Short mmCIF file of all heavy atoms in Angstrom, two decimals:
data_model
loop_
_atom_site.label_atom_id
_atom_site.label_comp_id
_atom_site.label_asym_id
_atom_site.label_seq_id
_atom_site.Cartn_x
_atom_site.Cartn_y
_atom_site.Cartn_z
N ASP A 355 62.59 40.65 -22.67
CA ASP A 355 62.85 40.56 -21.23
C ASP A 355 61.79 39.74 -20.51
O ASP A 355 62.10 38.99 -19.58
CB ASP A 355 62.93 41.96 -20.61
CG ASP A 355 64.17 42.73 -21.06
OD1 ASP A 355 65.13 42.07 -21.50
OD2 ASP A 355 64.17 43.98 -20.96
N ILE A 356 60.54 39.88 -20.92
CA ILE A 356 59.45 39.17 -20.24
C ILE A 356 59.58 37.66 -20.44
O ILE A 356 59.46 36.88 -19.48
CB ILE A 356 58.08 39.67 -20.74
CG1 ILE A 356 57.87 41.12 -20.31
CG2 ILE A 356 56.96 38.79 -20.20
CD1 ILE A 356 56.60 41.74 -20.82
N THR A 357 59.84 37.24 -21.67
CA THR A 357 59.98 35.80 -21.92
C THR A 357 61.22 35.24 -21.24
O THR A 357 61.21 34.09 -20.77
CB THR A 357 60.02 35.52 -23.43
OG1 THR A 357 61.08 36.29 -24.04
CG2 THR A 357 58.70 35.92 -24.09
N ARG A 358 62.27 36.03 -21.17
CA ARG A 358 63.48 35.57 -20.47
C ARG A 358 63.19 35.39 -18.98
O ARG A 358 63.66 34.41 -18.36
CB ARG A 358 64.62 36.57 -20.68
CG ARG A 358 65.37 36.39 -21.99
CD ARG A 358 66.63 37.24 -22.04
NE ARG A 358 66.31 38.65 -22.20
CZ ARG A 358 66.20 39.26 -23.38
NH1 ARG A 358 66.38 38.56 -24.50
NH2 ARG A 358 65.92 40.55 -23.45
N GLU A 359 62.42 36.31 -18.41
CA GLU A 359 62.08 36.18 -16.99
C GLU A 359 61.19 34.97 -16.75
O GLU A 359 61.36 34.26 -15.74
CB GLU A 359 61.36 37.45 -16.52
CG GLU A 359 62.28 38.68 -16.43
CD GLU A 359 61.53 39.92 -16.00
OE1 GLU A 359 60.35 39.78 -15.59
OE2 GLU A 359 62.10 41.02 -16.08
N LEU A 360 60.25 34.70 -17.65
CA LEU A 360 59.40 33.52 -17.51
C LEU A 360 60.22 32.24 -17.58
O LEU A 360 60.01 31.31 -16.80
CB LEU A 360 58.32 33.53 -18.59
CG LEU A 360 57.19 34.55 -18.44
CD1 LEU A 360 56.29 34.52 -19.67
CD2 LEU A 360 56.37 34.27 -17.18
N ALA A 361 61.15 32.20 -18.54
CA ALA A 361 61.99 31.01 -18.67
C ALA A 361 62.90 30.84 -17.46
O ALA A 361 63.15 29.71 -17.01
CB ALA A 361 62.82 31.10 -19.95
N ALA A 362 63.38 31.96 -16.90
CA ALA A 362 64.29 31.90 -15.75
C ALA A 362 63.61 31.37 -14.49
O ALA A 362 64.29 30.90 -13.57
CB ALA A 362 64.88 33.28 -15.48
N LEU A 363 62.28 31.41 -14.44
CA LEU A 363 61.57 30.87 -13.28
C LEU A 363 61.79 29.37 -13.13
O LEU A 363 61.71 28.85 -12.01
CB LEU A 363 60.07 31.17 -13.41
CG LEU A 363 59.63 32.63 -13.33
CD1 LEU A 363 58.14 32.76 -13.61
CD2 LEU A 363 59.96 33.22 -11.96
N GLY A 364 62.04 28.69 -14.24
CA GLY A 364 62.22 27.24 -14.19
C GLY A 364 60.96 26.50 -13.78
O GLY A 364 61.02 25.37 -13.27
N ASP A 365 59.80 27.12 -14.01
CA ASP A 365 58.51 26.54 -13.62
C ASP A 365 58.09 25.48 -14.64
O ASP A 365 57.94 25.79 -15.82
CB ASP A 365 57.46 27.66 -13.55
CG ASP A 365 56.16 27.21 -12.90
OD1 ASP A 365 55.83 26.02 -12.98
OD2 ASP A 365 55.48 28.07 -12.31
N PRO A 366 57.90 24.23 -14.22
CA PRO A 366 57.52 23.18 -15.18
C PRO A 366 56.16 23.40 -15.82
O PRO A 366 55.82 22.71 -16.78
CB PRO A 366 57.54 21.91 -14.33
CG PRO A 366 57.37 22.38 -12.92
CD PRO A 366 58.05 23.72 -12.86
N ARG A 367 55.38 24.35 -15.30
CA ARG A 367 54.08 24.65 -15.91
C ARG A 367 54.22 25.59 -17.10
O ARG A 367 53.25 25.85 -17.81
CB ARG A 367 53.15 25.29 -14.88
CG ARG A 367 52.82 24.41 -13.67
CD ARG A 367 52.02 25.20 -12.66
NE ARG A 367 52.75 26.40 -12.26
CZ ARG A 367 52.16 27.54 -11.89
NH1 ARG A 367 50.85 27.65 -11.88
NH2 ARG A 367 52.89 28.59 -11.52
N ILE A 368 55.42 26.12 -17.33
CA ILE A 368 55.67 27.02 -18.45
C ILE A 368 56.52 26.29 -19.49
O ILE A 368 57.67 25.93 -19.23
CB ILE A 368 56.39 28.30 -17.98
CG1 ILE A 368 55.58 29.00 -16.88
CG2 ILE A 368 56.62 29.25 -19.15
CD1 ILE A 368 56.28 30.21 -16.28
N TRP A 369 55.94 26.06 -20.66
CA TRP A 369 56.64 25.36 -21.74
C TRP A 369 57.05 26.36 -22.81
O TRP A 369 56.29 27.27 -23.16
CB TRP A 369 55.75 24.31 -22.38
CG TRP A 369 55.24 23.23 -21.47
CD1 TRP A 369 55.38 23.15 -20.11
CD2 TRP A 369 54.47 22.09 -21.86
NE1 TRP A 369 54.76 22.02 -19.63
CE2 TRP A 369 54.20 21.36 -20.67
CE3 TRP A 369 54.00 21.61 -23.07
CZ2 TRP A 369 53.46 20.17 -20.69
CZ3 TRP A 369 53.26 20.43 -23.10
CH2 TRP A 369 53.01 19.72 -21.92
N PHE A 370 58.23 26.16 -23.35
CA PHE A 370 58.68 26.91 -24.52
C PHE A 370 59.09 25.92 -25.61
O PHE A 370 59.86 24.99 -25.36
CB PHE A 370 59.88 27.80 -24.18
CG PHE A 370 59.53 29.07 -23.46
CD1 PHE A 370 59.69 29.19 -22.08
CD2 PHE A 370 59.01 30.16 -24.16
CE1 PHE A 370 59.35 30.36 -21.42
CE2 PHE A 370 58.66 31.33 -23.50
CZ PHE A 370 58.83 31.43 -22.13
N ILE A 371 58.54 26.13 -26.81
CA ILE A 371 58.87 25.28 -27.96
C ILE A 371 59.29 26.21 -29.09
O ILE A 371 58.53 27.10 -29.49
CB ILE A 371 57.65 24.43 -28.40
CG1 ILE A 371 57.18 23.55 -27.22
CG2 ILE A 371 58.00 23.57 -29.61
CD1 ILE A 371 55.86 22.85 -27.48
N TRP A 372 60.50 26.00 -29.62
CA TRP A 372 61.01 26.89 -30.66
C TRP A 372 62.18 26.23 -31.41
O TRP A 372 62.67 25.18 -31.00
CB TRP A 372 61.47 28.21 -30.05
CG TRP A 372 62.83 28.19 -29.40
CD1 TRP A 372 64.00 28.66 -29.93
CD2 TRP A 372 63.20 27.65 -28.11
NE1 TRP A 372 65.04 28.47 -29.06
CE2 TRP A 372 64.58 27.85 -27.94
CE3 TRP A 372 62.48 27.02 -27.10
CZ2 TRP A 372 65.26 27.44 -26.80
CZ3 TRP A 372 63.16 26.60 -25.96
CH2 TRP A 372 64.52 26.82 -25.81
N GLY A 373 62.60 26.88 -32.48
CA GLY A 373 63.76 26.42 -33.23
C GLY A 373 63.53 26.42 -34.72
O GLY A 373 62.51 26.91 -35.22
N ASP A 374 64.49 25.88 -35.44
CA ASP A 374 64.42 25.82 -36.89
C ASP A 374 63.35 24.84 -37.34
O ASP A 374 63.11 23.81 -36.71
CB ASP A 374 65.77 25.42 -37.48
CG ASP A 374 66.84 26.49 -37.24
OD1 ASP A 374 66.47 27.67 -37.16
OD2 ASP A 374 68.02 26.12 -37.13
N GLY A 375 62.73 25.14 -38.47
CA GLY A 375 61.72 24.26 -39.04
C GLY A 375 62.34 23.18 -39.89
O GLY A 375 63.56 23.12 -40.08
N ILE A 376 61.51 22.33 -40.43
CA ILE A 376 61.99 21.23 -41.25
C ILE A 376 62.50 21.74 -42.59
O ILE A 376 63.35 21.11 -43.23
CB ILE A 376 60.86 20.18 -41.46
CG1 ILE A 376 61.43 18.89 -42.05
CG2 ILE A 376 59.74 20.75 -42.32
CD1 ILE A 376 60.46 17.75 -42.06
N GLU A 377 62.02 22.90 -43.03
CA GLU A 377 62.48 23.51 -44.28
C GLU A 377 63.48 24.61 -43.96
O GLU A 377 63.37 25.30 -42.95
CB GLU A 377 61.30 24.09 -45.06
CG GLU A 377 60.24 23.08 -45.44
CD GLU A 377 59.07 23.73 -46.14
OE1 GLU A 377 59.26 24.79 -46.77
OE2 GLU A 377 57.95 23.20 -46.05
N ALA A 378 64.46 24.77 -44.83
CA ALA A 378 65.48 25.80 -44.64
C ALA A 378 64.85 27.18 -44.62
O ALA A 378 63.99 27.50 -45.45
CB ALA A 378 66.52 25.71 -45.75
N GLY A 379 65.27 28.00 -43.66
CA GLY A 379 64.75 29.35 -43.55
C GLY A 379 63.44 29.48 -42.81
O GLY A 379 62.95 30.59 -42.60
N LYS A 380 62.84 28.36 -42.42
CA LYS A 380 61.57 28.37 -41.68
C LYS A 380 61.82 28.18 -40.19
O LYS A 380 62.86 27.66 -39.78
CB LYS A 380 60.66 27.24 -42.19
CG LYS A 380 60.22 27.39 -43.63
CD LYS A 380 59.15 28.46 -43.78
CE LYS A 380 58.59 28.48 -45.19
NZ LYS A 380 57.50 29.47 -45.33
N LYS A 381 60.87 28.57 -39.38
CA LYS A 381 60.94 28.40 -37.95
C LYS A 381 59.81 27.47 -37.48
O LYS A 381 58.67 27.61 -37.91
CB LYS A 381 60.81 29.74 -37.23
CG LYS A 381 61.97 30.70 -37.50
CD LYS A 381 63.29 30.16 -36.93
CE LYS A 381 64.42 31.13 -37.15
NZ LYS A 381 65.72 30.60 -36.62
N ALA A 382 60.17 26.53 -36.62
CA ALA A 382 59.18 25.57 -36.14
C ALA A 382 58.09 26.23 -35.32
O ALA A 382 56.94 25.77 -35.30
CB ALA A 382 59.87 24.48 -35.31
#
Side-chain angles (χ1 to χ4, degrees):
D355 291 339
I356 293 177
T357 56
R358 278 190 288 269
E359 290 178 10
L360 288 174
L363 293 174
D365 191 332
R367 298 174 303 149
I368 303 175
W369 301 6
F370 282 101
I371 302 171
W372 80 101
D374 294 331
I376 192 170
E377 300 176 27
K380 296 285 187 177
K381 295 295 183 181

